[in-house]
Amino acid sequence: MPDAPSSRRALLLGGVGLAAVAGGAAWWWAGRDRPAGLFEFELSDAEWEARLSEAEYAVLRLSATEEPFSSPLNDETRAGSYACAGCGNVVYDAAHKFDSGTGWPSFWQATAGDVVGVRPDPKILGLATEAFCARCGGHLGHVFDDGPEPTGQRHCINGIALDFAAA
Ligand SMILES: [Zn+2]
C-alpha cells in the first residue's frame, strides 16, 4: 500500500461515506459476505457457482486475486469496454486503461463514478481500498493512489473479473 496524501485519502473515504448513505449503509460487505438485498443484481451462491467458472467465482465472489500477468486482458490495447464478468455491468473503458507494469489490467478511472464501489478492504485490515461492481457486489480488485493524471488513481483489476468487448 503506497503512502497516500491524506487529503486524497479523506476524499476517497468521504466518497465511501456518501455511497453508504445513498445505498443504505450497505457497502461494507464483499462478494458472498454481503447480506442479501443490497444490489440490483443478486444471485444465490449456488446460482453464482453455476454461472461462473471456478476461477471467476474465486475472484468475484470470494475476493481472491489472480496471478499477475495471467490475464490476456493485461496486454489488451484495443478500444472497447470492460464489463463485470458477473453481471455485465460496464465498469471500465479502454480509454482509461494504462500499462501499470503490475501484471494486472489497470485503469485510472471507472466508466462513471457510481459503477464501481469502493471500501476499505477488511481482508487486509482496511489497509487497501477494494473496488467492487456496484450492480452485483462482485469483487473486482483494488484502488491505489499512485495512478496517472488526471485522477491519480490506479484501479488494479483482476482480468478474470472483466469481459472485454472491442469497439
Ligand atoms: Zn457485476
Side-chain angles (χ1 to χ4, degrees):
M1 183 65 193
D3 290 330
S6 58
S7 59
R8 189 185 296 283
R9 173 65 48 195
L11 279 175
L12 198 57
L13 293 175
V16 172
L18 289 175
V21 171
W27 293 73
W28 298 90
W29 290 268
R32 71 177 188 183
D33 297 335
R34 291 191 174 97
L38 302 184
F39 297 98
E40 175 188 337
F41 186 91
E42 293 190 343
L43 297 174
S44 69
D45 288 336
E47 288 169 328
W48 279 120
E49 283 189 89
R51 179 183 178 91
L52 302 173
S53 71
E54 192 172 337
E56 288 171 338
Y57 184 89
V59 170
L60 283 161
R61 308 312 305 174
L62 302 178
S63 305
T65 297
E66 72 187 10
E67 289 294 313
F69 301 101
S70 66
S71 170
L73 294 184
N74 191 48
D75 298 320
E76 180 59 66
T77 57
R78 289 174 291 168
S81 60
Y82 293 82
C84 168
C87 75
N89 186 25
V90 175
V91 284
Y92 293 103
D93 189 283
H96 307 140
K97 191 172 188 285
F98 69 100
D99 183 1
S100 65
T102 60
W104 291 283
S106 300
F107 305 83
W108 47 265
Q109 72 172 40
T111 53
D114 57 355
V115 298
V116 172
V118 295
R119 65 163 188 167
D121 191 333
K123 296 206 173 200
I124 37 183
L125 306 176
L127 294 174
T129 300
E130 181 200 3
F132 59 90
C133 172
R135 183 164 182 259
C136 72
H139 174 82
L140 300 174
H142 292 90
V143 182
F144 300 94
D145 294 328
D146 57 5
E149 295 301 322
T151 64
Q153 291 189 349
R154 172 170 58 94
H155 291 238
C156 185
I157 305 301
N158 293 282
I160 201 164
L162 300 172
D163 285 333
F164 176 69

